[in-house]
Amino acid sequence: MDIFCLPGDEATGGGFASGGANVAVSKPIPSTTGSTPIGWQVGTPAAITAPPGSATTDGYVICNDL
């Protein structure tokens, strides 16, 4: 999942709360060195298929109002 700041704001951090799901990705968007992050990406491995409702993951981003 991708979570974005409001237009013009900068992402200063982010993360996730997992209710049993394996998390493989937790990184800024974009993650290119020298770029200004505008969001956060959280993802689970594509190979894992859990029955609906068996595991949850919530992502969040912390933004700085510029």
Side-chain angles (χ1 to χ4, degrees):
M1 79 183 71
D2 295 341
I3 309 107
F4 291 96
C5 296
L6 293 174
D9 289 357
E10 175 183 21
T12 58
F16 62 91
S18 177
N22 293 326
V23 174
V25 174
S26 180
K27 65 180 184 176
I29 302 170
S31 59
T32 309
T33 302
S35 62
T36 301
I38 58 170
W40 204 261
Q41 183 179 57
V42 175
T44 57
I48 296 174
T49 55
S54 64
T56 59
T57 302
D58 296 318
Y60 63 90
V61 62
I62 301 167
C63 302
N64 184 31
D65 186 18
L66 300 177

